[in-house]
Amino acid sequence: MTRQRFIFLSLAPALTVLGLLAAISTAGAVWFSVMNRALRSPDYEYVGFYNYLRLLRDKRFFNALEISLIWELITVTGTLAVAILLAVLVHETVKRPLWRNLICFAFLAPVLLPRVAAAFIWRFLYSPSLGLANWFADLFGIGPIEFLADPSIALVSVAVVDIWQWGLFFTVILVKLLETLPRDPIEAAMLDNARVWEIHAYVTLPMLKGPLISLVLVKAVESLRSFDLIFVMTGGGPGTATETLDLYAYQTGINLGGRVSYASAMSILLLIATTLAFTLIWRAGRKWSR
Amino acid sequence: MVSLILRNMARAALGLVVLVALTPILWTTLGAFKQLRDIVTPIPKLFFTPTLENFATILGNPTIRDGLVNSVIVVAVAVGIGAALGIPAAHTLARHARRYGDDVQFFVLSLRFMPPVAIAIPFIVIYLDLGIYDSLGGLILVYLVTTISTVIWLAVPAFDRVPREIEEAAAMEGCTEAEVFWRFSLPIAAPSLFGALVFTFVLVWNELLLALTLAAQNATLPVVAASITSLGKEVPWGVINAATVVLVLPPLVFIGLLMGLINTMVRGGGRAKG
């Protein structure tokens, strides 16, 4: 009996708070999405699916959707590619534990920076007139590059900062994971005269399939939280070139229009899409890594 | 011979990457001690007469000081409550409720899927209607979603690694579940738990969107920092750099702990990050 009570007492408060907050925000968003509530006036009435129907005809919404998808794609693949390449590089070239640890410390620093701080640091570096990045570009004879003001490269410029933070962080995790692998299969491959890249592509990385899938999932979830970085670096601009869904929802719902209901409809769609996508990935990931 | 060249090239490449990792941070730190005329130069300056002016501006600015105080209060309370509620729940999930464990863990993780705007927009209206908009308490309440779920997510694997034999032996000696948890599991898992709390701290300390929308006047440090650019006409790069340094310092102190956390997580079979 006491056992039951202990289990109940330890679980109930945490899950109640979490459940209530999740339920309130979800129910609130659903409720407001079928109203015509605005921030300025407290009066509102039921309008049915009006907001959702308007979203379907909103070009800026589809632009934001597209930017969000591109952002997810660039940052997730970029982070994983950087992490795998660098981890193999560190694993193969640095054998002394002291050096390896020092490098890991250096790689961990960026991810600990607040996103706002990282955004400022890179805005400073990217600055066309006084930034370090353009000074380097100048050394190679490339004219001043408008990293954040050129619509065609602004999104990539911001993604570089995200990859700078997360790619290096994941490198450290992968370096540590590579250290934990059993030596036998690797030595067997070496006896077969496999090249270094062959050993990693066919032996070590497949052995790390489970953790790698987890890393993809974690990164995909974290990439959704791009608001801070983009908000500080470009504010969604130039034009709407870097405006992701959360940025657009923020702009319409809070900052400019205060059209809470319209933004709620948008966040409900966003919520459904992400929950569906990640539930599927989570299930698939569990199956593969087993 | 070829392999020697290759190895040296690999080393050089690695050195370059370390440079890319650290230069932005060091450059900003340097910039924090520069006067504006040393920053606005066509050729970057490595040597200059340092000044503490920027830091004086920052610490003398009441908005930034309030932001610092608000940040400390909000983060301390949110992480504290998150730990008090999350750690016992994680222990029970790891030990007593294996059957429901997976579903509950998925629920907890799914809270991380929630787009922050989907939390921010309903709560801004609810808070306005209730009259608690722009209060620290309201912000803390919303942060509990992040802190409790992150603590549970990271603490379950920590308790998984506590040797079962110790808990069973303690139970044989007549300890109740609460005593086993308090006197044995908690101290043994403490190092990993501390890492989990630090990670949670960093997450909330860095948070911008919710703070920006729910506490516009009682802003936390990230919000204040994000608004500095609009101070006056000339972009005060030195002040921005100094503010960045102040914002960066607290999380950076914990770099060693994060390293320890990764080490224990990886040893735990590498599944904990999921």
Side-chain angles (χ1 to χ4, degrees):
Chain A
M1 196 55 216
T2 48
R3 185 185 139 90
Q4 293 294 327
R5 244 179 65 202
F6 174 73
I7 291 178
F8 179 76
L9 282 180
S10 58
L11 275 180
L15 294 182
T16 313
V17 173
L18 283 181
L20 271 181
L21 287 173
I24 289 175
S25 57
T26 316
V30 171
W31 172 259
F32 291 123
S33 75
V34 293
M35 303 290 165
N36 63 350
R37 177 82 198 242
L39 266 189
R40 289 203 195 86
S41 73
D43 304 318
Y44 56 93
E45 56 189 22
Y46 177 76
V47 294
F49 286 99
Y50 176 73
N51 290 312
Y52 292 96
L53 292 174
R54 274 198 49 201
L55 270 180
L56 293 180
R57 281 180 283 130
D58 186 348
K59 274 195 188 134
R60 198 166 158 192
F61 169 70
F62 283 101
N63 173 65
L65 190 67
E66 193 189 333
I67 301 276
S68 292
L69 288 176
I70 298 175
W71 169 266
E72 282 283 318
L73 204 68
I74 298 180
T75 53
V76 174
T77 49
T79 299
L80 264 292
V82 164
I84 289 173
L85 285 178
L86 281 182
V88 170
L89 189 63
V90 172
H91 188 76
E92 289 301 326
T93 47
V94 185
K95 297 293 182 193
R96 293 259 304 276
L98 173 70
W99 278 108
R100 205 176 262 196
N101 276 332
L102 283 179
I103 288 177
C104 285
F105 271 114
F107 283 3
L108 277 184
V111 82
L112 279 172
L113 302 187
R115 302 280 269 180
V116 174
F120 270 122
I121 288 175
W122 281 81
R123 235 178 77 178
F124 187 47
L125 290 179
Y126 279 152
S127 161
S129 55
L130 45 97
L132 211 51
N134 263 313
W135 180 71
F136 271 117
D138 204 40
L139 284 186
F140 294 100
I142 315 164
I145 304 169
E146 296 274 356
F147 287 101
L148 298 174
D150 184 343
S152 57
I153 55 170
L155 190 66
V156 178
S157 301
V158 181
V160 164
V161 184
D162 187 72
I163 296 169
W164 173 68
Q165 288 197 287
W166 285 89
L168 296 178
F169 174 45
F170 280 6
T171 304
V172 177
I173 294 176
L174 281 181
V175 166
K176 299 287 170 191
L177 282 171
L178 284 173
E179 282 172 8
T180 62
L181 290 181
R183 299 293 310 164
D184 301 354
I186 301 170
E187 272 157 15
M190 280 161 88
L191 283 180
D192 285 340
N193 278 328
R195 288 170 220 267
V196 173
W197 70 266
E198 285 175 331
I199 293 178
H200 285 290
Y202 299 120
V203 183
T204 60
L205 291 178
M207 285 206 287
L208 291 175
K209 199 172 67 179
L212 279 174
I213 291 171
S214 300
L215 287 179
V216 169
L217 187 69
V218 169
K219 181 59 195 137
V221 172
E222 286 308 319
S223 280
L224 286 174
R225 297 163 178 260
S226 53
F227 179 84
D228 333 28
L229 208 56
I230 299 178
F231 181 74
V232 174
M233 289 189 74
T234 65
T240 54
T242 56
E243 190 173 74
T244 51
L245 279 175
D246 45 359
L247 225 73
Y248 182 36
Y250 170 80
Q251 299 285 18
T252 45
I254 295 152
N255 200 16
L256 297 172
R259 286 147 68 203
V260 178
S261 285
Y262 196 51
S264 294
M266 213 181 309
S267 53
I268 286 294
L269 288 185
L270 191 60
L271 188 65
I272 293 172
T274 49
T275 310
L276 268 181
F278 287 116
T279 309
L280 289 178
I281 298 177
W282 167 273
R283 291 275 144 81
R286 297 228 122 184
K287 214 181 278 169
W288 285 336
S289 50
R290 238 164 229 165
Chain B
M1 189 62 197
V2 174
S3 77
L4 195 70
I5 294 172
L6 264 181
R7 192 178 306 153
N8 280 327
M9 269 171 61
R11 283 205 179 131
L14 204 57
L16 207 66
V17 176
V18 172
L19 220 59
V20 172
L22 291 182
T23 309
I25 303 173
L26 297 177
W27 188 246
T28 305
T29 316
L30 223 55
F33 293 99
K34 282 180 181 172
Q35 282 167 338
L36 196 58
R37 63 182 156 80
D38 287 325
I39 296 176
V40 193
T41 52
I43 300 161
K45 262 193 184 177
L46 209 52
F47 301 101
F48 55 92
T49 29
T51 170
L52 287 174
E53 228 171 82
N54 299 321
F55 286 100
T57 314
I58 292 250
L59 297 176
N61 184 326
T63 327
I64 294 175
R65 254 199 334 248
D66 289 351
L68 191 61
V69 173
N70 286 340
S71 265
V72 170
I73 295 172
V74 168
V75 172
V77 176
V79 173
I81 296 178
L85 298 186
I87 289 177
H91 176 255
T92 299
L93 283 178
R95 277 296 180 261
H96 301 294
R98 263 282 144 226
R99 242 179 324 146
Y100 316 106
D102 266 3
D103 290 333
V104 176
Q105 266 182 305
F106 180 70
F107 165 66
V108 170
L109 190 66
S110 73
L111 291 177
R112 295 280 304 154
F113 303 168
M114 274 183 95
V117 269
I119 300 176
I121 288 170
F123 269 102
I124 194 175
V125 187
I126 294 168
Y127 281 6
L128 275 173
D129 289 353
L130 291 178
I132 55 169
Y133 174 71
D134 204 2
S135 66
L136 293 185
L139 189 57
I140 291 170
L141 189 65
V142 174
Y143 276 171
L144 287 183
V145 178
T146 312
T147 56
I148 296 177
S149 63
T150 314
V151 167
I152 292 181
W153 178 41
L154 292 175
V156 167
F159 283 118
D160 268 339
R161 279 193 301 275
V162 174
R164 239 165 221 284
E165 297 76 31
I166 295 177
E167 295 185 346
E168 277 160 11
M172 295 278 271
E173 296 292 318
C175 288
T176 63
E177 270 79 18
E179 279 172 336
V180 172
F181 165 70
W182 185 251
R183 286 174 51 199
F184 297 96
S185 317
L186 195 61
I188 294 172
S192 323
L193 291 179
F194 193 57
L197 291 188
V198 166
F199 190 77
T200 314
F201 161 85
V202 173
L203 278 185
V204 194
W205 177 266
N206 296 352
E207 208 284 329
L208 173 69
L209 176 61
L210 292 171
L212 188 68
T213 49
L214 295 178
Q217 299 300 314
N218 283 307
T220 55
L221 210 49
V223 181
V224 177
S227 66
I228 291 181
T229 26
S230 44
L231 280 180
K233 256 190 193 159
E234 208 168 341
V235 181
W237 281 112
V239 178
I240 292 179
N241 282 335
T244 310
V245 170
V246 172
L247 197 61
V248 161
L249 273 181
L252 221 49
V253 170
F254 294 118
I255 194 165
L257 276 166
L258 183 65
M259 188 83 139
L261 183 69
I262 294 177
N263 274 330
T264 48
M265 286 283 174
V266 166
R267 297 281 126 76
R271 60 178 204 88
K273 272 300 325 172

